[in-house]
Coordinates of all heavy atoms in Angstrom, one line a residue:
Chain B
V102 N 65.3 29.9 39.8 CA 65.1 28.9 38.8 C 65.5 27.5 39.3 O 66.4 27.5 40.2 CB 65.8 29.2 37.5 CG1 65.3 30.5 36.9 CG2 67.3 29.2 37.7
P103 N 64.9 26.4 38.8 CA 65.3 25.1 39.3 C 66.8 24.9 38.9 O 67.2 25.4 37.9 CB 64.4 24.1 38.6 CG 63.4 24.9 37.8 CD 63.8 26.4 37.9
P104 N 67.5 24.1 39.7 CA 69.0 23.9 39.4 C 69.3 23.4 38.0 O 70.2 23.9 37.4 CB 69.3 22.8 40.5 CG 68.3 22.9 41.6 CD 67.1 23.4 40.9
L105 N 68.5 22.5 37.5 CA 68.8 21.9 36.2 C 68.6 23.0 35.1 O 69.4 23.0 34.2 CB 67.9 20.7 35.9 CG 68.3 19.4 36.6 CD1 67.3 18.3 36.3 CD2 69.7 19.0 36.4
L106 N 67.6 23.9 35.3 CA 67.4 25.0 34.4 C 68.6 25.9 34.5 O 69.1 26.5 33.4 CB 66.1 25.7 34.6 CG 65.8 26.8 33.7 CD1 65.7 26.3 32.2 CD2 64.5 27.5 34.0
A107 N 69.1 26.2 35.7 CA 70.3 27.1 35.9 C 71.5 26.5 35.2 O 72.2 27.2 34.5 CB 70.6 27.2 37.4
I108 N 71.7 25.2 35.2 CA 72.8 24.5 34.5 C 72.6 24.7 33.0 O 73.6 25.1 32.3 CB 72.9 23.0 34.9 CG1 73.3 22.9 36.4 CG2 73.9 22.3 34.0 CD1 73.2 21.5 36.9
T109 N 71.4 24.4 32.6 CA 71.1 24.6 31.1 C 71.4 26.0 30.6 O 72.1 26.2 29.6 CB 69.7 24.2 30.8 OG1 69.4 22.9 31.4 CG2 69.5 24.1 29.3
L110 N 71.0 27.0 31.4 CA 71.2 28.4 31.0 C 72.7 28.7 31.0 O 73.1 29.4 30.1 CB 70.4 29.3 31.9 CG 68.9 29.3 31.8 CD1 68.2 30.1 32.9 CD2 68.5 29.8 30.4
G111 N 73.4 28.2 32.0 CA 74.8 28.4 32.0 C 75.5 27.8 30.8 O 76.4 28.4 30.2
L112 N 75.1 26.6 30.4 CA 75.7 26.0 29.2 C 75.4 26.8 28.0 O 76.2 27.0 27.1 CB 75.1 24.5 29.0 CG 75.5 23.5 30.0 CD1 74.7 22.2 29.8 CD2 77.0 23.2 30.0
L113 N 74.1 27.3 27.9 CA 73.7 28.1 26.7 C 74.5 29.4 26.7 O 74.9 29.8 25.6 CB 72.2 28.3 26.8 CG 71.3 27.1 26.4 CD1 69.9 27.5 26.6 CD2 71.6 26.6 25.0
V114 N 74.7 30.0 27.8 CA 75.5 31.3 27.8 C 76.9 31.0 27.3 O 77.4 31.8 26.4 CB 75.6 31.8 29.3 CG1 76.7 32.9 29.4 CG2 74.2 32.4 29.7
C115 N 77.5 29.9 27.7 CA 78.9 29.6 27.2 C 78.8 29.3 25.7 O 79.7 29.8 25.0 CB 79.5 28.4 28.0 SG 79.9 28.8 29.7
A116 N 77.9 28.5 25.3 CA 77.7 28.2 23.9 C 77.5 29.5 23.1 O 78.0 29.7 22.0 CB 76.6 27.2 23.6
G117 N 76.7 30.4 23.7 CA 76.4 31.7 23.0 C 77.7 32.5 22.8 O 77.9 33.1 21.8
F118 N 78.6 32.5 23.9 CA 79.9 33.2 23.7 C 80.7 32.6 22.6 O 81.3 33.3 21.8 CB 80.7 33.1 25.0 CG 80.5 34.3 25.9 CD1 79.6 34.3 27.0 CD2 81.2 35.5 25.7 CE1 79.4 35.3 27.8 CE2 81.0 36.6 26.5 CZ 80.1 36.5 27.6
G119 N 80.7 31.3 22.5 CA 81.4 30.6 21.4 C 80.8 31.0 20.1 O 81.6 31.3 19.1
L120 N 79.5 31.0 20.0 CA 78.8 31.3 18.8 C 79.2 32.7 18.3 O 79.5 33.0 17.2 CB 77.3 31.2 19.0 CG 76.4 31.5 17.7 CD1 76.6 30.5 16.7 CD2 75.0 31.6 18.1
L121 N 79.2 33.6 19.3 CA 79.6 35.0 19.0 C 81.0 35.1 18.5 O 81.3 35.8 17.5 CB 79.4 35.9 20.3 CG 79.4 37.4 20.1 CD1 78.3 37.8 19.1 CD2 79.1 38.0 21.5
N122 N 81.9 34.4 19.2 CA 83.3 34.3 18.7 C 83.4 33.9 17.3 O 84.1 34.5 16.5 CB 84.1 33.3 19.6 CG 84.6 34.0 20.9 OD1 84.8 35.2 21.0 ND2 84.9 33.1 21.9
G123 N 82.7 32.8 17.0 CA 82.7 32.2 15.6 C 82.1 33.2 14.6 O 82.7 33.4 13.5
L124 N 81.0 33.9 15.0 CA 80.4 34.9 14.0 C 81.4 36.0 13.7 O 81.5 36.4 12.6 CB 79.1 35.4 14.6 CG 77.9 34.4 14.6 CD1 76.8 35.0 15.4 CD2 77.5 34.2 13.2
L125 N 82.1 36.5 14.8 CA 83.0 37.6 14.6 C 84.3 37.1 13.7 O 84.7 37.8 12.9 CB 83.5 38.1 15.9 CG 82.4 38.9 16.7 CD1 82.9 39.2 18.1 CD2 82.1 40.2 16.0
V126 N 84.7 35.9 14.0 CA 85.9 35.3 13.3 C 85.6 35.1 11.8 O 86.4 35.5 11.0 CB 86.4 34.0 14.0 CG1 87.3 33.3 13.0 CG2 87.1 34.3 15.3
K127 N 84.4 34.6 11.6 CA 84.1 34.2 10.2 C 83.2 35.3 9.5 O 83.4 35.4 8.3 CB 83.3 32.8 10.2 CG 83.3 32.1 8.9 CD 84.7 31.7 8.4 CE 84.7 31.4 7.0 NZ 86.0 30.9 6.5
G128 N 82.4 35.9 10.3 CA 81.4 36.8 9.6 C 82.0 38.2 9.2 O 81.7 38.7 8.2
V129 N 82.9 38.7 10.1 CA 83.4 40.1 9.8 C 84.3 40.1 8.7 O 84.1 41.0 7.8 CB 84.0 40.7 11.1 CG1 84.6 42.1 10.8 CG2 82.9 40.9 12.2
P130 N 85.4 39.3 8.5 CA 86.0 38.4 9.5 C 87.1 39.1 10.3 O 87.7 40.1 9.8 CB 86.6 37.4 8.6 CG 86.9 38.1 7.3 CD 86.0 39.3 7.2
L131 N 87.4 38.6 11.5 CA 88.5 39.1 12.3 C 89.4 38.0 12.7 O 89.0 36.9 12.8 CB 87.9 39.8 13.5 CG 87.0 41.0 13.4 CD1 86.3 41.4 14.6 CD2 87.9 42.2 12.9
P132 N 90.7 38.3 13.1 CA 91.6 37.3 13.5 C 91.1 36.7 14.9 O 90.7 37.5 15.8 CB 92.9 38.0 13.7 CG 92.8 39.4 13.1 CD 91.3 39.7 13.0
P133 N 91.1 35.4 15.0 CA 90.7 34.8 16.3 C 91.3 35.3 17.5 O 90.7 35.5 18.6 CB 91.0 33.3 16.1 CG 91.1 33.1 14.6 CD 91.5 34.4 14.0
F134 N 92.6 35.6 17.4 CA 93.4 36.2 18.5 C 92.7 37.4 19.1 O 92.5 37.6 20.3 CB 94.8 36.5 18.1 CG 95.7 36.8 19.2 CD1 96.5 35.9 19.9 CD2 95.8 38.2 19.7 CE1 97.3 36.2 20.9 CE2 96.7 38.5 20.7 CZ 97.4 37.5 21.3
I135 N 92.4 38.3 18.2 CA 91.8 39.6 18.5 C 90.4 39.4 19.1 O 90.0 40.0 20.2 CB 91.7 40.6 17.3 CG1 93.1 40.8 16.7 CG2 91.1 41.9 17.7 CD1 94.1 41.4 17.7
V136 N 89.6 38.6 18.4 CA 88.2 38.4 18.8 C 88.1 37.8 20.2 O 87.4 38.3 21.1 CB 87.5 37.4 17.9 CG1 86.1 37.0 18.4 CG2 87.3 38.1 16.5
T137 N 89.0 36.8 20.5 CA 88.9 36.1 21.8 C 89.6 36.9 22.9 O 89.2 36.8 24.0 CB 89.4 34.7 21.7 OG1 90.8 34.7 21.3 CG2 88.6 33.9 20.7
L138 N 90.5 37.8 22.5 CA 91.2 38.7 23.4 C 90.1 39.7 23.9 O 90.0 39.9 25.2 CB 92.3 39.4 22.8 CG 93.1 40.4 23.7 CD1 93.8 39.7 24.8 CD2 94.1 41.2 22.9
G139 N 89.3 40.2 23.0 CA 88.2 41.1 23.4 C 87.2 40.4 24.3 O 86.8 40.9 25.3

Side-chain angles (χ1 to χ4, degrees):
Chain B
V102 297
L105 285 180
L106 182 59
I108 292 172
T109 310
L110 288 173
L112 291 174
L113 287 177
V114 163
C115 290
F118 266 99
L120 181 67
L121 194 55
N122 276 337
L124 287 171
L125 290 167
V126 164
K127 197 65 194 182
V129 176
L131 293 169
F134 187 93
I135 302 298
V136 169
T137 58
L138 181 64

